[in-house]
Short mmCIF file of all heavy atoms in Angstrom, two decimals:
data_model
loop_
_atom_site.label_atom_id
_atom_site.label_comp_id
_atom_site.label_asym_id
_atom_site.label_seq_id
_atom_site.Cartn_x
_atom_site.Cartn_y
_atom_site.Cartn_z
N MET A 1 -30.41 -76.52 45.44
CA MET A 1 -29.57 -75.72 44.58
C MET A 1 -28.47 -75.08 45.37
O MET A 1 -28.60 -74.72 46.50
CB MET A 1 -30.45 -74.68 43.92
CG MET A 1 -29.65 -73.84 42.93
SD MET A 1 -30.76 -73.17 41.70
CE MET A 1 -29.58 -72.37 40.70
N LYS A 12 -23.01 -62.76 47.51
CA LYS A 12 -24.03 -63.69 47.03
C LYS A 12 -24.60 -63.21 45.68
O LYS A 12 -24.81 -62.03 45.52
CB LYS A 12 -25.16 -63.81 48.08
CG LYS A 12 -26.23 -64.73 47.65
CD LYS A 12 -27.35 -64.72 48.71
CE LYS A 12 -28.55 -65.54 48.21
NZ LYS A 12 -29.65 -65.44 49.09
N TYR A 32 -23.17 -61.24 35.90
CA TYR A 32 -22.54 -62.41 35.34
C TYR A 32 -23.52 -63.23 34.58
O TYR A 32 -24.68 -63.42 35.01
CB TYR A 32 -21.92 -63.29 36.43
CG TYR A 32 -20.78 -62.62 37.15
CD1 TYR A 32 -20.98 -61.89 38.33
CD2 TYR A 32 -19.50 -62.69 36.64
CE1 TYR A 32 -19.96 -61.28 39.00
CE2 TYR A 32 -18.44 -62.06 37.30
CZ TYR A 32 -18.70 -61.37 38.49
OH TYR A 32 -17.65 -60.74 39.11
N PRO A 40 -19.16 -84.29 28.11
CA PRO A 40 -19.50 -85.62 27.66
C PRO A 40 -18.57 -86.68 28.23
O PRO A 40 -18.93 -87.86 28.41
CB PRO A 40 -19.39 -85.57 26.14
CG PRO A 40 -18.78 -84.25 25.80
CD PRO A 40 -18.75 -83.43 27.00
N PHE A 51 -18.37 -62.56 32.97
CA PHE A 51 -18.68 -61.19 33.36
C PHE A 51 -19.38 -60.49 32.18
O PHE A 51 -18.97 -60.63 31.07
CB PHE A 51 -17.38 -60.43 33.70
CG PHE A 51 -17.60 -58.99 34.03
CD1 PHE A 51 -18.27 -58.63 35.21
CD2 PHE A 51 -17.17 -58.02 33.16
CE1 PHE A 51 -18.43 -57.29 35.52
CE2 PHE A 51 -17.37 -56.68 33.45
CZ PHE A 51 -18.02 -56.28 34.66
N GLU A 65 -17.94 -28.65 11.06
CA GLU A 65 -17.71 -28.07 9.68
C GLU A 65 -16.51 -27.21 9.77
O GLU A 65 -16.29 -26.46 10.72
CB GLU A 65 -18.93 -27.26 9.24
CG GLU A 65 -20.11 -28.12 8.85
CD GLU A 65 -21.16 -27.27 8.15
OE1 GLU A 65 -20.82 -26.34 7.44
OE2 GLU A 65 -22.35 -27.61 8.32
N GLY A 70 -14.40 -17.13 3.83
CA GLY A 70 -15.12 -16.11 3.08
C GLY A 70 -14.76 -16.09 1.61
O GLY A 70 -15.44 -15.45 0.81
N VAL A 83 -5.80 -15.90 -14.48
CA VAL A 83 -5.58 -16.16 -15.91
C VAL A 83 -5.50 -14.83 -16.69
O VAL A 83 -4.61 -14.61 -17.51
CB VAL A 83 -6.71 -17.05 -16.48
CG1 VAL A 83 -6.64 -17.10 -18.00
CG2 VAL A 83 -6.61 -18.41 -15.90
N PHE A 86 -2.23 -13.20 -15.91
CA PHE A 86 -1.16 -13.88 -16.63
C PHE A 86 -1.02 -13.31 -18.08
O PHE A 86 0.01 -12.98 -18.52
CB PHE A 86 -1.39 -15.39 -16.68
CG PHE A 86 -0.49 -16.15 -17.57
CD1 PHE A 86 0.82 -16.40 -17.19
CD2 PHE A 86 -0.90 -16.58 -18.85
CE1 PHE A 86 1.69 -17.09 -18.00
CE2 PHE A 86 -0.05 -17.26 -19.67
CZ PHE A 86 1.26 -17.52 -19.24
N GLY A 95 4.82 -7.91 -25.52
CA GLY A 95 4.03 -7.14 -26.51
C GLY A 95 4.86 -6.33 -27.44
O GLY A 95 4.64 -6.39 -28.68
N TYR A 102 5.84 -8.12 -36.04
CA TYR A 102 4.69 -7.93 -36.95
C TYR A 102 5.03 -6.85 -37.98
O TYR A 102 4.80 -6.98 -39.19
CB TYR A 102 3.44 -7.59 -36.20
CG TYR A 102 2.27 -7.23 -37.02
CD1 TYR A 102 1.51 -8.21 -37.64
CD2 TYR A 102 1.93 -5.91 -37.30
CE1 TYR A 102 0.43 -7.92 -38.43
CE2 TYR A 102 0.85 -5.55 -38.12
CZ TYR A 102 0.13 -6.58 -38.69
OH TYR A 102 -0.98 -6.27 -39.49
N SER A 113 19.40 -4.90 -43.37
CA SER A 113 19.62 -5.87 -44.39
C SER A 113 18.76 -5.57 -45.58
O SER A 113 19.12 -5.91 -46.72
CB SER A 113 19.33 -7.28 -43.88
OG SER A 113 17.99 -7.36 -43.48
#
Side-chain angles (χ1 to χ4, degrees):
M1 182 155 182
K12 181 181 174 187
Y32 294 94
F51 177 70
E65 286 192 33
V83 169
F86 172 77
Y102 174 79
S113 63

